[in-house]
Amino acid sequence: MLNTKMFKKGQSDHKLSSVVPIKETVPEKKDVELILVKEQNGVQYTNNTIIAPDNSLKYEAPVQEEQEREHWGKKIDFLLSVVGFSVDLANVWRFPYLCYKNGGGAFLIPYTLFLIIAGMPLFYMELALGQYNREGAATVWKICPCFKGVGYTVILIALYVGFYYNVIIAWSLYYLVSSFTYELPWTRCGNEWNTPNCTDPNHLNFSLLGNGTIYAKYKLTPAAEFYERGVLHLHQSTGIHDLGQPRWQLSICLFAVLIVLFFSLWKGVKTSGKVVWITATLPYVVLFVLLIRGITLPGSFRGISSYLHIDFKKLQEYTVWIDAATQIFYSLGAGFGVLIAFASYNKFDNNCYRDALLTSTVNCVTSFISGFAIFSILGYMAQKHNMRIEDVATDAGPGLVFIIYPEAISTLQGSTVWAVIFFIMLITLGIDSAMGGMEAVITGLADDFAILKKHRKLFTFLVAVITFLFALLCITNGGIYVVTLLDTFAAGTSILFAVLIEAVGVSWFYGVDRFSDDIYRMLGFKPGLYWRLCWKFVSPAFLLFVVIASIANYNPLRYDTYHFPPWANRTGWIIAMSSMILVPLYFIYKFMTVKGSFKERLAYCITPENEYHLVAQGDIRQFKRQHWLTIG
């Protein structure tokens, strides 16, 4: 791995890189001159000397200092970027519903447990990995070259997610533009998109509908018809085989979203770090305002009480634990290469340990607090229509924020204002998460290919264009079916698999002890036994459990009453496999391209590139039992 390290005056220590045996005595803290170290294939380059790989500290010819990697303008820029990426739309529409469905307050027990034993350790690992090696998701695997395919896997997954995630932001933008009217367009029937059966919910008696029809699934309200017929034009498609043409209104919204993303990222973290001051903070202001308004509505405390009710019997159901495990993983956003990319622009001695604890905690607390804002509104809706909470809170997807919540807002005094600020919140929640995903792609590939780094602006433009073109499939008449397919397969089992391999690669092949020493060089202290045990055993076991659970609980695709044809499900698995297959393919490629005997080839594949000289000497750490048994 290309390790670029900055040692400053007053830093905790001045220690040689991993070429020096770990057991050597570390000098105590003292003032040292600024040194830029670059390790590559066993040779260390400094600003005035070459240090031989045999640790002799022999001085030879001077070399020219390389240009320093870009840094965040301020520490807060990095923190806001990480929080902005991890706190996304799913925090608003998924966690509150899962908490309500899985025992209310009891759900917090497995959720918090998985946060402590797996979520935070993985979050910490990725931040430390990116910050120490100062590389993107692909080139960071110079620590174990055969795992570089994992980097390409997460980059491809991040690109896939951009194809549909930006579309959801475009929907929000369309709603925002539609909100600038005296009367919100989803408040009444009689519009060109409404059916003759459109029914004002104020005049609807659900007790007479029969057939188990519940409010959240009733598709003939003005809000439901505006979403599915006015925005998506779903009625003009008979299925995923009949997509139709892209909607020009949504195309404009999607184009606007990509323009914002491009100009936020084209100059690197110096510009994106400024954008997140708005996109990462504004949602908290709006969420607080919506929460205050929500709890003042009649029936709000009934909704909050349902949200927080405690049913410990639910903990006996294995599905509750699976939901908690998958939610904590997706909520923190580990594995998409974003955290590695963001951390790679930190200063070498930045306290990523404190950052990991802070930002992961903020993310989970935000998810919990958002439930109060959501369920206060759902309680209000239930009382308004004289229904049970469970008849309203039955959706953990877009239906909650594009049908139920807008309809509730439309009944409030000053509804236009409330609609505007709500959809501004959704847009900002989505934008910084989309920025993170695109940055992972750009940084990951630019660090691997010098020509892309040299022409970052052009490359960023190219990524934006590719994302826009593929996203056009998602804004056709049947685009919601494409969104559903990509949401299920593009970043489902594949991302879980990628993070599992990543955790194994770092903890077992590179070694927890060596990784701990890397952190020591940055922070001046080693991770405690707890973190090392989690990285070595608990986190991989947790990820393996989630991977197996995701496969075991797979159900054929459906959107409401529409069941996807078998070929669509096969296509979804092909999309998932297209990213996962890069892991074994790259291993085979690496093994076949290095020279030597079978044993030497294998050694070169699993040995950090800056230790290749040790392989040539026959000193192969990974072939020793101690390497696999040690935990630091």
Side-chain angles (χ1 to χ4, degrees):
M1 171 55 65
L2 185 68
N3 297 329
T4 307
K5 303 196 282 267
M6 299 295 298
F7 287 80
K8 295 187 174 181
K9 291 185 179 183
Q11 188 177 327
S12 59
D13 64 272
H14 176 204
K15 181 178 179 180
L16 295 179
S17 68
S18 55
V19 175
V20 181
I22 292 172
K23 294 183 179 180
E24 287 192 7
T25 303
V26 181
E28 296 181 357
K29 182 188 297 185
K30 59 182 178 180
D31 289 345
V32 295
E33 74 171 305
L34 181 65
I35 299 177
L36 177 65
V37 179
K38 176 183 176 182
E39 300 177 13
Q40 190 169 16
N41 297 338
V43 180
Q44 297 180 345
Y45 298 91
T46 70
N47 60 339
N48 55 8
T49 63
I50 295 182
I51 304 176
D54 62 358
N55 307 325
S56 64
L57 298 180
K58 177 182 177 182
Y59 290 93
E60 297 186 13
V63 297
Q64 184 177 1
E65 179 180 353
E66 282 202 357
Q67 183 179 0
E68 181 184 347
R69 185 178 178 87
E70 182 183 11
H71 284 146
W72 294 97
K74 298 178 181 178
K75 171 66 175 288
I76 190 66
D77 296 349
F78 165 70
L79 294 176
L80 289 176
S81 296
V82 173
V83 170
F85 164 70
S86 58
V87 177
D88 65 354
L89 296 169
N91 290 75
V92 174
W93 74 41
R94 182 169 174 80
F95 175 84
Y97 169 75
L98 288 180
C99 187
Y100 163 76
K101 184 187 79 168
N102 292 311
F107 180 72
L108 297 178
I109 295 177
Y111 182 80
T112 304
L113 174 64
F114 288 135
L115 169 66
I116 294 173
I117 68 172
M120 282 185 174
L122 290 171
F123 205 87
Y124 182 16
M125 182 185 75
E126 289 209 344
L127 291 185
L129 190 65
Q131 181 173 306
Y132 180 82
N133 295 287
R134 304 181 61 72
E135 297 282 356
T139 48
V140 77
W141 285 105
K142 288 182 180 180
I143 63 173
C144 191
C146 67
F147 281 80
K148 191 175 182 179
V150 180
Y152 291 132
T153 295
V154 299
I155 289 171
L156 184 57
I157 291 173
L159 188 62
Y160 284 161
V161 171
F163 295 162
Y164 72 91
Y165 193 84
N166 295 328
V167 171
I168 300 175
I169 306 174
W171 295 344
S172 302
L173 181 57
Y174 186 89
Y175 266 85
L176 176 63
V177 174
S178 300
S179 298
F180 286 99
T181 57
Y182 177 75
E183 184 181 38
L184 295 174
W186 55 83
T187 57
R188 59 180 177 84
C189 301
N191 300 289
E192 61 180 355
W193 57 78
N194 290 125
T195 64
N197 296 324
C198 178
T199 308
D200 188 334
N202 292 319
H203 304 148
L204 190 62
N205 188 343
F206 282 89
S207 63
L208 300 179
L209 291 176
N211 298 324
T213 302
I214 55 178
Y215 180 76
K217 296 298 182 181
Y218 189 69
K219 297 299 183 180
L220 298 178
T221 62
E225 289 197 348
F226 177 77
Y227 173 61
E228 293 200 340
R229 300 174 63 87
V231 178
L232 304 182
H233 284 253
L234 186 58
H235 61 289
Q236 296 181 10
S237 172
T238 57
I240 194 171
H241 61 283
D242 179 27
L243 296 180
Q245 299 296 318
R247 306 298 305 176
W248 68 268
Q249 299 94 331
L250 292 179
S251 298
I252 294 175
C253 293
L254 179 63
F255 181 75
V257 170
L258 268 300
I259 288 294
V260 171
L261 291 175
F262 170 71
F263 283 106
S264 298
L265 296 170
W266 70 325
K267 290 186 178 180
V269 296
K270 295 294 185 183
T271 53
S272 64
K274 300 299 181 289
V275 175
V276 294
W277 278 82
I278 297 175
T279 58
T281 57
L282 187 58
Y284 285 94
V285 176
V286 176
L287 189 63
F288 178 75
V289 172
L290 291 174
L291 174 60
I292 297 301
R293 183 67 182 100
I295 61 178
T296 62
L297 296 173
S300 61
F301 285 97
R302 175 186 169 194
I304 293 174
S305 176
S306 298
Y307 171 53
L308 294 179
H309 79 286
I310 298 177
D311 183 3
F312 288 110
K313 293 181 180 179
K314 282 283 187 178
L315 298 180
Q316 300 175 6
E317 302 176 11
Y318 77 96
T319 55
V320 173
W321 295 84
I322 293 176
D323 282 346
T326 53
Q327 176 61 21
I328 197 65
F329 174 81
Y330 286 114
S331 178
L332 292 178
F336 290 90
V338 178
L339 300 178
I340 293 176
F342 281 167
S344 72
Y345 296 107
N346 277 334
K347 295 181 179 180
F348 183 75
D349 59 352
N350 173 66
N351 193 334
C352 58
Y353 171 66
R354 182 177 57 199
D355 295 344
L357 295 181
L358 175 63
T359 52
S360 58
T361 301
V362 167
N363 172 278
C364 295
V365 171
T366 301
S367 298
F368 180 66
I369 297 299
S370 66
F372 290 88
I374 295 298
F375 271 84
S376 61
I377 290 292
L378 295 181
Y380 162 70
M381 291 290 289
Q383 178 162 314
K384 180 178 177 62
H385 297 296
N386 194 25
M387 296 180 297
R388 301 174 302 171
I389 293 290
E390 52 265 37
D391 291 335
V392 183
T394 59
D395 199 340
L400 178 62
V401 294
F402 291 115
I403 298 178
I404 302 298
Y405 213 94
E407 181 179 324
I409 288 175
S410 69
T411 65
L412 304 178
Q413 187 175 2
S415 57
T416 296
V417 175
W418 292 112
V420 167
I421 64 174
F422 175 70
F423 289 110
I424 286 178
M425 181 187 74
L426 292 187
I427 292 171
T428 51
L429 278 173
I431 283 291
D432 45 20
S433 296
M435 284 170 53
M438 190 173 290
E439 184 62 56
V441 176
I442 296 169
T443 297
L445 294 178
D447 282 346
D448 202 20
F449 302 97
I451 189 173
L452 299 180
K453 178 176 288 188
K454 183 178 179 181
H455 302 283
R456 178 186 170 99
K457 294 180 182 179
L458 180 60
F459 179 49
T460 303
F461 177 77
L462 180 62
V463 172
V465 170
I466 293 174
T467 301
F468 175 78
L469 293 177
F470 277 93
L472 290 177
L473 292 172
C474 299
I475 56 175
T476 56
N477 296 333
I480 187 63
Y481 301 128
V482 181
V483 171
T484 303
L485 184 145
L486 290 175
D487 185 42
T488 302
F489 289 103
T493 302
S494 55
I495 192 65
L496 296 171
F497 168 79
V499 183
L500 171 61
I501 302 301
E502 176 186 292
V504 171
V506 173
S507 302
W508 288 88
F509 284 82
Y510 183 59
V512 167
D513 57 334
R514 185 151 43 185
F515 187 53
S516 299
D517 287 323
D518 293 346
I519 294 176
Y520 178 84
R521 295 186 184 100
M522 292 189 296
L523 308 184
F525 59 87
K526 281 191 175 184
L529 179 62
Y530 168 79
W531 297 103
R532 285 177 275 137
L533 287 174
C534 285
W535 289 330
K536 186 86 170 183
F537 303 108
V538 181
S539 293
F542 164 81
L543 290 167
L544 182 61
F545 162 73
V546 177
V547 168
I548 295 174
S550 68
I551 296 174
N553 287 275
Y554 165 75
N555 291 311
L557 281 177
R558 58 177 294 180
Y559 175 79
D560 283 342
T561 58
Y562 173 76
H563 293 266
F564 284 68
W567 68 263
N569 287 272
R570 290 193 294 268
T571 301
W573 280 112
I574 291 174
I575 293 174
M577 291 300 300
S578 68
S579 57
M580 291 190 287
I581 196 67
L582 296 179
V583 175
L585 284 181
Y586 189 85
F587 178 86
I588 295 173
Y589 163 78
K590 184 66 179 178
F591 184 83
M592 298 301 294
T593 53
V594 295
K595 298 180 180 180
S597 63
F598 180 89
K599 181 178 180 180
E600 289 173 334
R601 289 186 178 193
L602 181 60
Y604 280 120
C605 285
I606 62 178
T607 300
E609 290 187 2
N610 62 351
E611 295 182 4
Y612 273 7
H613 62 287
L614 297 178
V615 177
Q617 299 170 7
D619 183 11
I620 305 170
R621 170 190 165 109
Q622 283 81 359
F623 288 174
K624 300 175 182 177
R625 181 184 302 177
Q626 182 182 1
H627 167 79
W628 301 99
L629 297 180
T630 184
I631 58 173

